């Protein structure tokens, strides 16, 4: 991946809205250069649909680029559910 790449882990509801506002400072007219935003949908719906594979893919991309931003996500309370991506991202990124 390019050195000017940042992994963006999108979230749910208000967390996603806040992330979009934060990303405004990474626009080329603010920075003065282009940044490649590599986006991953970490919404609860997508994590369930991929059995958390999207979380592992996002974490691996963060390790590769060295940079990542993550929005707040919904943590399900059901036993055996996909859980929070926070722990999964940390495990994958520290394992490399």
């Amino acid at each position: 991946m390019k050195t000017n790449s940042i992994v963006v882990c999108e979230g749910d509801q208000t967390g996603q809205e806040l992330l979009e506002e934060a990303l405004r400072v990474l626009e080329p007219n603010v920075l003065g250069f282009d940044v490649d935003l590599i986006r991953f949908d970490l919404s609860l719906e997508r994590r369930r649909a991929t059995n958390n594979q999207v979380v592992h893919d996002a974490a691996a991309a963060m390790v590769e680029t060295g940079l990542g931003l993550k929005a707040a996500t919904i943590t399900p309370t059901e036993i055996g559910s996909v859980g929070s991506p926070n722990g999964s991202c940390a495990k994958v990124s520290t394992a490399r």
Side-chain angles (χ1 to χ4, degrees), residues 38-71:
I38 305 165
R39 293 179 175 257
F40 289 87
D41 177 1
L42 298 190
S43 66
L44 180 58
E45 181 180 331
R46 183 73 178 142
R47 286 181 280 141
R48 284 181 171 155
T50 65
N51 196 31
N52 259 357
Q53 184 60 49
V54 68
V55 175
H56 297 286
D57 294 344
M62 278 191 255
V63 168
E64 189 173 335
T65 63
L67 297 169
L69 296 171
K70 183 190 162 298

Side-chain angles (χ1 to χ4, degrees), residues 15-29:
Q16 181 61 27
E17 293 172 17
L18 293 171
L19 176 66
E20 290 300 329
E21 289 300 313
L23 290 174
R24 291 176 32 192
V25 300
L26 298 178
E27 292 179 2
N29 63 333

Side-chain angles (χ1 to χ4, degrees), residues 9 42 72 74 79 84:
C9 298
L42 298 190
I74 294 172
I79 294 174
S84 169

Side-chain angles (χ1 to χ4, degrees), residues 70-87:
K70 183 190 162 298
T73 55
I74 294 172
T75 301
T77 56
E78 304 92 21
I79 294 174
S81 189
V82 292
S84 169
N86 295 334

